[in-house]
PDB file of all heavy atoms in Angstrom:
ATOM      1  N   MET A   3      11.513  10.187  -8.078  1.00 49.00           N
ATOM      2  CA  MET A   3      10.851  10.627  -6.865  1.00 49.00           C
ATOM      3  C   MET A   3       9.785   9.570  -6.477  1.00 49.00           C
ATOM      4  O   MET A   3       9.143   9.225  -7.318  1.00 49.00           O
ATOM      5  CB  MET A   3      10.163  11.909  -7.051  1.00 49.00           C
ATOM      6  CG  MET A   3      11.207  13.117  -7.238  1.00 49.00           C
ATOM      7  SD  MET A   3      12.363  13.255  -5.882  1.00 49.00           S
ATOM      8  CE  MET A   3      11.249  13.709  -4.478  1.00 49.00           C
ATOM      9  N   SER A  21     -43.338  -2.118  40.105  1.00 40.00           N
ATOM     10  CA  SER A  21     -42.776  -3.407  40.603  1.00 40.00           C
ATOM     11  C   SER A  21     -43.756  -4.475  40.724  1.00 40.00           C
ATOM     12  O   SER A  21     -43.379  -5.703  40.835  1.00 40.00           O
ATOM     13  CB  SER A  21     -42.057  -3.056  42.018  1.00 40.00           C
ATOM     14  OG  SER A  21     -43.162  -2.658  42.852  1.00 40.00           O
ATOM     15  N   SER A  28     -46.832   7.633  33.059  1.00 44.00           N
ATOM     16  CA  SER A  28     -45.488   8.281  33.364  1.00 44.00           C
ATOM     17  C   SER A  28     -45.671   9.515  34.098  1.00 44.00           C
ATOM     18  O   SER A  28     -46.839  10.177  34.006  1.00 44.00           O
ATOM     19  CB  SER A  28     -45.015   8.695  31.887  1.00 44.00           C
ATOM     20  OG  SER A  28     -44.669   7.484  31.226  1.00 44.00           O
ATOM     21  N   GLY A  50     -45.584  15.475  13.096  1.00 48.00           N
ATOM     22  CA  GLY A  50     -46.724  15.124  12.194  1.00 48.00           C
ATOM     23  C   GLY A  50     -47.608  16.301  11.895  1.00 48.00           C
ATOM     24  O   GLY A  50     -48.253  16.356  10.773  1.00 48.00           O
ATOM     25  N   PRO A  92     -50.656  -4.199   5.070  1.00 89.00           N
ATOM     26  CA  PRO A  92     -50.822  -4.380   6.447  1.00 89.00           C
ATOM     27  C   PRO A  92     -52.255  -4.947   6.627  1.00 89.00           C
ATOM     28  O   PRO A  92     -53.171  -4.638   5.893  1.00 89.00           O
ATOM     29  CB  PRO A  92     -50.638  -3.124   7.182  1.00 89.00           C
ATOM     30  CG  PRO A  92     -50.957  -2.077   6.022  1.00 89.00           C
ATOM     31  CD  PRO A  92     -50.414  -2.677   4.707  1.00 89.00           C
ATOM     32  N   LYS A  99     -53.142  -0.053  14.201  1.00 90.00           N
ATOM     33  CA  LYS A  99     -52.080   0.172  15.248  1.00 90.00           C
ATOM     34  C   LYS A  99     -51.218   1.351  14.770  1.00 90.00           C
ATOM     35  O   LYS A  99     -50.811   2.182  15.655  1.00 90.00           O
ATOM     36  CB  LYS A  99     -51.182  -1.060  15.495  1.00 90.00           C
ATOM     37  CG  LYS A  99     -51.819  -2.123  16.400  1.00 90.00           C
ATOM     38  CD  LYS A  99     -50.934  -3.233  16.500  1.00 90.00           C
ATOM     39  CE  LYS A  99     -51.603  -4.302  17.474  1.00 90.00           C
ATOM     40  NZ  LYS A  99     -50.728  -5.525  17.742  1.00 90.00           N
ATOM     41  N   TRP A 104     -49.782   6.998  15.343  1.00 85.00           N
ATOM     42  CA  TRP A 104     -49.652   8.366  14.792  1.00 85.00           C
ATOM     43  C   TRP A 104     -50.572   9.386  15.622  1.00 85.00           C
ATOM     44  O   TRP A 104     -50.049  10.537  15.823  1.00 85.00           O
ATOM     45  CB  TRP A 104     -49.987   8.413  13.277  1.00 85.00           C
ATOM     46  CG  TRP A 104     -49.743   9.734  12.652  1.00 85.00           C
ATOM     47  CD1 TRP A 104     -48.628  10.216  12.215  1.00 85.00           C
ATOM     48  CD2 TRP A 104     -50.794  10.821  12.541  1.00 85.00           C
ATOM     49  NE1 TRP A 104     -48.764  11.593  11.708  1.00 85.00           N
ATOM     50  CE2 TRP A 104     -50.134  11.897  11.917  1.00 85.00           C
ATOM     51  CE3 TRP A 104     -52.227  10.840  13.009  1.00 85.00           C
ATOM     52  CZ2 TRP A 104     -50.871  13.091  11.863  1.00 85.00           C
ATOM     53  CZ3 TRP A 104     -52.826  12.058  12.717  1.00 85.00           C
ATOM     54  CH2 TRP A 104     -52.178  13.057  12.121  1.00 85.00           C
ATOM     55  N   ILE A 109     -51.114  13.799  19.192  1.00 82.00           N
ATOM     56  CA  ILE A 109     -51.688  14.469  20.489  1.00 82.00           C
ATOM     57  C   ILE A 109     -50.463  15.023  21.310  1.00 82.00           C
ATOM     58  O   ILE A 109     -50.527  16.153  21.716  1.00 82.00           O
ATOM     59  CB  ILE A 109     -52.404  13.469  21.254  1.00 82.00           C
ATOM     60  CG1 ILE A 109     -53.743  13.189  20.499  1.00 82.00           C
ATOM     61  CG2 ILE A 109     -52.772  13.970  22.702  1.00 82.00           C
ATOM     62  CD1 ILE A 109     -54.526  12.091  21.075  1.00 82.00           C
ATOM     63  N   GLY A 114     -47.189  19.124  23.720  1.00 77.00           N
ATOM     64  CA  GLY A 114     -45.933  19.539  23.864  1.00 77.00           C
ATOM     65  C   GLY A 114     -45.597  20.921  23.353  1.00 77.00           C
ATOM     66  O   GLY A 114     -45.050  21.774  24.108  1.00 77.00           O
ATOM     67  N   ILE A 126     -35.120  20.025  17.714  1.00 81.00           N
ATOM     68  CA  ILE A 126     -36.616  19.969  17.271  1.00 81.00           C
ATOM     69  C   ILE A 126     -36.820  21.122  16.250  1.00 81.00           C
ATOM     70  O   ILE A 126     -37.492  21.052  15.263  1.00 81.00           O
ATOM     71  CB  ILE A 126     -37.496  20.131  18.443  1.00 81.00           C
ATOM     72  CG1 ILE A 126     -37.362  18.835  19.274  1.00 81.00           C
ATOM     73  CG2 ILE A 126     -38.912  20.318  17.990  1.00 81.00           C
ATOM     74  CD1 ILE A 126     -38.275  18.837  20.629  1.00 81.00           C
ATOM     75  N   PRO A 209      -6.352  22.543 -10.981  1.00 95.00           N
ATOM     76  CA  PRO A 209      -6.822  23.800 -11.773  1.00 95.00           C
ATOM     77  C   PRO A 209      -5.953  24.916 -11.378  1.00 95.00           C
ATOM     78  O   PRO A 209      -5.651  25.302 -10.204  1.00 95.00           O
ATOM     79  CB  PRO A 209      -8.341  23.913 -11.213  1.00 95.00           C
ATOM     80  CG  PRO A 209      -8.737  22.669 -10.728  1.00 95.00           C
ATOM     81  CD  PRO A 209      -7.563  21.966 -10.096  1.00 95.00           C
ATOM     82  N   MET A 228       7.910  28.129 -15.171  1.00 96.00           N
ATOM     83  CA  MET A 228       8.959  27.105 -15.028  1.00 96.00           C
ATOM     84  C   MET A 228       8.977  26.186 -16.236  1.00 96.00           C
ATOM     85  O   MET A 228       7.893  25.794 -16.737  1.00 96.00           O
ATOM     86  CB  MET A 228       8.875  26.315 -13.796  1.00 96.00           C
ATOM     87  CG  MET A 228       9.186  27.034 -12.479  1.00 96.00           C
ATOM     88  SD  MET A 228       8.721  26.064 -10.998  1.00 96.00           S
ATOM     89  CE  MET A 228       9.586  24.452 -11.290  1.00 96.00           C
ATOM     90  N   ASP A 248       5.493  19.351 -14.020  1.00 96.00           N
ATOM     91  CA  ASP A 248       5.483  18.054 -14.785  1.00 96.00           C
ATOM     92  C   ASP A 248       4.607  18.250 -16.110  1.00 96.00           C
ATOM     93  O   ASP A 248       5.061  17.800 -17.183  1.00 96.00           O
ATOM     94  CB  ASP A 248       4.894  16.869 -14.069  1.00 96.00           C
ATOM     95  CG  ASP A 248       5.998  16.064 -13.428  1.00 96.00           C
ATOM     96  OD1 ASP A 248       7.123  16.606 -13.289  1.00 96.00           O
ATOM     97  OD2 ASP A 248       5.872  14.908 -12.962  1.00 96.00           O
ATOM     98  N   ARG A 250       1.189  20.831 -18.060  1.00 95.00           N
ATOM     99  CA  ARG A 250       0.232  21.810 -18.210  1.00 95.00           C
ATOM    100  C   ARG A 250      -0.742  21.340 -19.171  1.00 95.00           C
ATOM    101  O   ARG A 250      -0.447  20.884 -20.373  1.00 95.00           O
ATOM    102  CB  ARG A 250       0.706  23.123 -18.660  1.00 95.00           C
ATOM    103  CG  ARG A 250       1.576  23.726 -17.573  1.00 95.00           C
ATOM    104  CD  ARG A 250       2.170  25.113 -18.015  1.00 95.00           C
ATOM    105  NE  ARG A 250       0.954  26.043 -18.171  1.00 95.00           N
ATOM    106  CZ  ARG A 250       1.197  27.378 -18.484  1.00 95.00           C
ATOM    107  NH1 ARG A 250       2.453  27.988 -18.706  1.00 95.00           N
ATOM    108  NH2 ARG A 250       0.166  28.284 -18.574  1.00 95.00           N
ATOM    109  N   ARG A 251      -2.144  21.504 -18.890  1.00 95.00           N
ATOM    110  CA  ARG A 251      -3.186  21.009 -19.824  1.00 95.00           C
ATOM    111  C   ARG A 251      -4.076  22.348 -19.930  1.00 95.00           C
ATOM    112  O   ARG A 251      -4.641  22.735 -19.070  1.00 95.00           O
ATOM    113  CB  ARG A 251      -4.009  19.907 -19.206  1.00 95.00           C
ATOM    114  CG  ARG A 251      -4.923  19.325 -20.269  1.00 95.00           C
ATOM    115  CD  ARG A 251      -5.489  18.025 -19.698  1.00 95.00           C
ATOM    116  NE  ARG A 251      -6.460  18.220 -18.666  1.00 95.00           N
ATOM    117  CZ  ARG A 251      -6.733  17.311 -17.764  1.00 95.00           C
ATOM    118  NH1 ARG A 251      -6.124  16.079 -17.793  1.00 95.00           N
ATOM    119  NH2 ARG A 251      -7.639  17.529 -16.833  1.00 95.00           N
ATOM    120  N   GLU A 264     -27.066  18.199 -18.124  1.00 94.00           N
ATOM    121  CA  GLU A 264     -26.554  18.643 -16.933  1.00 94.00           C
ATOM    122  C   GLU A 264     -26.950  20.104 -16.610  1.00 94.00           C
ATOM    123  O   GLU A 264     -27.421  20.435 -15.436  1.00 94.00           O
ATOM    124  CB  GLU A 264     -25.018  18.554 -16.758  1.00 94.00           C
ATOM    125  CG  GLU A 264     -24.504  18.871 -15.377  1.00 94.00           C
ATOM    126  CD  GLU A 264     -22.983  18.808 -15.339  1.00 94.00           C
ATOM    127  OE1 GLU A 264     -22.376  18.469 -16.446  1.00 94.00           O
ATOM    128  OE2 GLU A 264     -22.377  19.024 -14.329  1.00 94.00           O
TER     129      GLU A 264
END
Side-chain angles (χ1 to χ4, degrees):
M3 297 300 297
S21 58
S28 298
K99 284 183 178 180
W104 182 87
I109 292 171
I126 294 179
M228 289 172 53
D248 265 19
R250 291 181 64 175
R251 191 170 70 200
E264 183 182 4

